[in-house]
Amino acid sequence: MSANPKQDYDQNLGLKMLLCHAEEEEIIANHVIIRRCQVLIPMFVRLQMGTEGEQLTEQETAIYDRQIRVWGVDAQRRLSKSHVFVSGLKGTCVEFCKNIVLAGVGSLTLNDDRLVTEDLLFANFLIPPEENDIQGKSVAELCCDSLKDFNPMVSVSVVKGDLSILDADFFQKFDVVVLSCCSLLTKKSVNAKCHKLPKRVAFYSVECRDSCGEIFVDLQNYNYCKKKNEETIECELHYPSFEEAVAVPWRSLPKRMSKLYYAMRVIERFEELEGRNPGETSVDDLPNVQQLRKELCEAHCLNESQIPDSLLRRLIASRSEFPPVCAIVGGILGQEVIKAISGKGDPLKNFFFFDAMDGKGIIEDISNVNS
């Protein structure tokens, strides 16, 4: 800080005014703004960062200049120092990975040892179409190669092995853990390991079946700030684990609860009982799934009409993801992770559902009423 505090304040205010002025002119003369912001943003970073942490480099501010103007320097700094782990690289997670790599996270670690199949090619645009390029490589390795080209400033790597062999110490290296294409037991296990860590690790699970998608969020005890009536207020949210959330009795949930929530729990339970991997169902399983639905509805005092046959049939009959739904759900997931890392905006609590049949996205807060 200089010997004249007011001079620093005036300089800072002047830069803020220039940046606002540039944003107003963007609609009229976009080419002018690009040149001006390349000079102004690095100056803004040096004045704003102070002693809050390691500064963004001028290369980073040149690349991320537009998003810095949206969510600020400190938010971008947090993103660039964050570490994200993703397991299960189907279409939705691929969209998510693309989004956060372009946003500028510090590192992204991928986990998916499967070999490429026709179903995986359907919604995974990161896998090269040439057969010679995919031979002998796992899905994670192929996606890693492609993501590095999206943003060379993000470190993208691969970890091999089943999730069950990764202990809690492994997950301590990350700020965010995202799971897809894994069993009910695996979701509960990994989420529990994140809860045992001394630091807060944000946990997300995401699934897309046919034209439907689900996101689960667990930020544990999460504090953030938001503006209300031109005042900044501190907010705190308490999140249940995945195991706690799905254990909430159905009879205690709101009457207008999303039907997709119930249907996903029935199919998830069916796959667990049958020892199948997620998505390994077909329309031939419908009678057995309907029987399980009846048993679960009786146990939870829920009318079976809340889980329609037509919805169950859609979810179990299709093994392929619907790419437009992957783009929507993957975009929502990317937005939520960026909010959690940056501390900007109200986070989602704690389930999000999307159904392309009606085009609606629904947020449901499913928490243990006794906790």
Side-chain angles (χ1 to χ4, degrees):
M1 192 166 188
S2 70
N4 188 346
K6 184 164 191 315
Q7 184 178 357
D8 281 349
Y9 175 80
D10 290 341
Q11 286 179 337
N12 189 13
L13 180 61
L15 281 173
K16 285 183 178 178
M17 292 173 64
L18 284 171
L19 286 172
C20 289
H21 186 53
E23 289 179 9
E24 292 173 357
E25 288 185 351
E26 184 172 356
I27 301 174
I28 304 171
N30 187 54
H31 62 286
V32 175
I33 292 168
I34 294 174
R35 290 198 298 268
R36 290 174 65 187
C37 286
Q38 285 176 342
V39 176
L40 288 176
I41 293 294
M43 293 171 62
F44 179 77
V45 171
R46 286 194 292 270
L47 285 170
Q48 288 289 318
M49 290 304 297
T51 59
E52 293 180 3
E54 187 179 343
Q55 295 185 13
L56 295 173
T57 65
E58 293 198 9
Q59 184 182 8
E60 286 175 317
T61 55
I63 291 177
Y64 306 130
D65 61 343
R66 287 182 176 272
Q67 56 205 51
I68 286 174
R69 287 187 287 155
V70 173
W71 52 55
V73 177
D74 187 55
Q76 187 62 48
R77 180 184 61 82
R78 293 183 186 182
L79 275 174
S80 67
K81 309 308 172 190
S82 64
H83 305 286
V84 181
F85 174 81
V86 178
S87 179
L89 294 168
K90 292 185 73 175
T92 309
C93 269
V94 163
E95 288 282 354
F96 163 72
C97 290
K98 178 256 296 180
N99 292 336
I100 61 168
V101 165
L102 291 176
V105 294
S107 72
L108 173 64
T109 302
L110 307 176
N111 171 253
D112 195 325
D113 295 341
R114 294 175 298 173
L115 297 178
V116 176
T117 63
E118 188 174 343
D119 287 343
L120 288 175
L121 283 172
F122 185 70
N124 192 328
F125 57 82
L126 294 178
I127 299 176
E130 293 78 13
E131 188 174 343
N132 292 334
D133 294 336
I134 65 177
Q135 290 182 347
K137 288 188 174 183
S138 67
V139 172
E141 290 171 324
L142 292 167
C143 292
C144 179
D145 294 339
S146 299
L147 287 167
K148 287 178 179 177
D149 294 332
F150 277 77
N151 188 348
M153 298 192 69
V154 176
S155 172
V156 186
S157 60
V158 172
V159 167
K160 293 186 177 182
D162 191 85
L163 284 173
S164 61
I165 68 173
L166 302 176
D167 58 16
D169 289 339
F170 171 82
F171 295 105
Q172 189 167 346
K173 299 181 291 187
F174 303 100
D175 302 293
V176 175
V177 170
V178 178
L179 302 188
S180 182
C181 317
C182 63
S183 67
L184 176 63
L185 180 61
T186 300
K187 289 180 188 176
K188 293 178 179 179
S189 174
V190 174
N191 192 193
K193 290 175 183 176
C194 292
H195 268 266
K196 292 177 181 177
L197 297 173
K199 74 169 189 176
R200 183 179 62 84
V201 176
F203 175 86
Y204 299 81
S205 70
V206 58
E207 296 293 339
C208 272
R209 297 173 185 261
D210 189 61
S211 56
C212 299
E214 175 191 81
I215 298 173
F216 169 76
V217 182
D218 176 15
L219 302 183
Q220 301 181 30
N221 296 322
Y222 181 69
N223 298 288
Y224 67 103
C225 296
K226 69 176 183 179
K227 287 189 176 181
K228 186 176 182 180
N229 299 327
E230 298 184 356
E231 292 185 1
T232 301
I233 59 174
E234 293 187 2
C235 304
E236 183 177 7
L237 292 176
H238 301 282
Y239 286 76
S241 67
F242 182 77
E243 184 170 10
E244 291 169 338
V246 299
V248 174
W250 292 357
R251 60 181 174 271
S252 68
L253 298 176
K255 292 183 179 180
R256 299 188 66 180
M257 174 62 60
S258 169
K259 291 179 171 62
L260 191 52
Y261 171 76
Y262 298 123
M264 293 290 273
R265 303 289 76 78
V266 170
I267 296 173
E268 207 170 48
R269 178 63 175 158
F270 175 78
E271 290 172 340
E272 181 184 43
L273 292 173
E274 293 289 317
R276 302 189 194 181
N277 293 320
E280 291 184 353
T281 54
S282 69
V283 71
D284 296 334
D285 294 311
L286 185 59
N288 292 330
V289 173
Q290 289 172 323
Q291 178 61 33
L292 179 60
R293 174 191 61 184
K294 179 180 179 181
E295 295 171 4
L296 290 174
C297 285
E298 288 177 353
H300 287 276
C301 302
L302 183 74
N303 193 309
E304 288 186 55
S305 64
Q306 291 293 98
I307 317 174
D309 287 342
S310 58
L311 179 57
L312 288 176
R313 183 185 296 271
R314 284 171 55 204
L315 295 177
I316 67 173
S318 177
R319 284 197 169 194
S320 300
E321 294 175 293
F322 195 43
V325 174
C326 293
I328 293 170
V329 178
I332 296 293
L333 179 59
Q335 172 182 280
E336 289 305 314
V337 168
I338 289 173
K339 285 196 289 187
I341 294 172
S342 66
K344 298 283 186 178
D346 293 309
L348 186 157
K349 184 175 186 286
N350 56 341
F351 279 90
F352 172 82
F353 302 98
F354 179 79
D355 189 343
M357 293 297 287
D358 57 21
K360 292 181 180 178
I362 300 173
I363 297 174
E364 300 282 12
D365 184 353
I366 302 174
S367 304
N368 191 336
V369 292
N370 295 321
S371 64

